[in-house]
Amino acid sequence: MMICVLLLTPKPDLFEPLSTNVNALLNFLSNSAGNPFFLITTFVLCLIPVIKHLPRKKLASLYVQFALLLVLSFALKTGLKSATEVPRPYSYALAEVGLVDNAASFYQLEPALKDELIERIASKVSSARIEQWHGETNYAFPSGHTIFVAICILFWGGFLLRNNHYITAGILLTWGVGVGFSRIWLGMHWPTDLMASTVLASLLIFCVPNINFENNHQVSNTVN
C-alpha cells in the first residue's frame, strides 16, 4: 500500500506556497521519523508490548531485535548515501534559480555555504521546506526516514496484527504513508528513493534473525 501511494504522489512544485496548517503537518510528519524526534517515536512504539504486559524476556527479545534493525539500517543508509551520491530534489530547485550551476555542484560546497544558498531562496519557498533543507544537506538515496518508518511498520505493525490490534496497525501504516508523502512534498526525496528504501527495510527484516530469550537464548530465523 505504501509503495502504491508513493507511486501515485505527483511531483510537487517546490515553489508553490503552502498554508500554515500544511506546513505544520508536513514538518511534524517528517520530523517524527528524523533526528532527534525519531527517538520519541521509538519510545512510543516500544510501549506497545509493555501495555500488552508481555513477560520480561519477551520484551527483551523484541527490543534487542528492534535495536539491531535500527543500527543496521543506519549503517546501510550511511554507506549507500556515500556510494550513490543522488542529489535531492531541492538541489535542482537551487539550480533552477541560478544559485548553483547544477544540482551535483551543491554537494561540493562547504556546509556554511550550503546553508547560505538555501537561505537566499527562503523568500520563494515555504518555511517547512526551508527548515528541512537546512537540516539535511547530504545526498538523497536512500531515505533514512523511510527505512526507519518501514522497519517500524513491518516490525511493530506485524506485532500488532499478530495480536489482533488492527486499528492501531492501521494508524501506524497511515503515519508511515504520511511521512513518505511529506518527504516527497518537502523536496527531500524522489519517489524512487522511498520505494527502494522500503525494499531495503524489508530485506533487513527478512535477514535479521528472530531473537528469542525465552527459549534458552536461542536465535532462530523464524519470525514470531
Side-chain angles (χ1 to χ4, degrees), residues 73-179:
S73 68
F74 179 80
L76 180 64
K77 177 204 73 172
T78 303
L80 285 176
K81 279 187 184 292
S82 299
T84 56
E85 298 186 351
V86 176
R88 294 184 184 272
Y90 76 75
S91 60
Y92 287 87
L94 296 175
E96 185 178 334
V97 297
L99 290 176
V100 291
D101 293 333
N102 52 64
S105 65
F106 173 74
Y107 297 92
Q108 309 306 315
L109 304 174
E110 294 296 323
L113 185 52
K114 289 179 180 178
D115 283 334
E116 181 183 332
L117 292 180
I118 292 171
E119 198 57 38
R120 287 187 193 176
I121 205 175
S123 62
K124 301 178 181 179
V125 179
S126 69
S127 59
R129 287 176 172 137
I130 291 298
E131 179 179 331
Q132 295 296 321
W133 297 2
H134 273 304
E136 297 177 68
T137 57
N138 57 352
Y139 290 106
F141 180 82
S143 167
H145 287 64
T146 305
I147 291 178
F148 171 72
V149 163
I151 285 176
C152 289
I153 291 173
L154 293 170
F155 187 83
W156 293 113
F159 175 84
L160 289 167
L161 290 176
R162 290 192 298 274
N163 288 275
N164 302 319
H165 293 290
Y166 302 112
I167 294 177
T168 308
I171 293 172
L172 183 62
L173 178 60
T174 301
W175 163 73
V177 172
V179 171

Side-chain angles (χ1 to χ4, degrees), residues 26-101:
L26 292 178
N27 245 343
F28 170 77
L29 288 169
S30 186
N31 288 338
S32 68
N35 189 33
F37 299 106
F38 82 96
L39 294 172
I40 298 175
T41 303
T42 298
F43 174 76
V44 171
L45 291 173
C46 286
L47 288 177
I48 294 173
V50 175
I51 296 172
K52 288 286 295 179
H53 302 292
L54 294 185
R56 289 184 180 179
K57 288 186 178 181
K58 182 61 176 178
L59 285 174
S61 300
L62 288 170
Y63 292 157
V64 169
Q65 187 171 3
F66 186 56
L68 180 59
L69 286 167
L70 293 184
V71 170
L72 291 176
S73 68
F74 179 80
L76 180 64
K77 177 204 73 172
T78 303
L80 285 176
K81 279 187 184 292
S82 299
T84 56
E85 298 186 351
V86 176
R88 294 184 184 272
Y90 76 75
S91 60
Y92 287 87
L94 296 175
E96 185 178 334
V97 297
L99 290 176
V100 291
D101 293 333

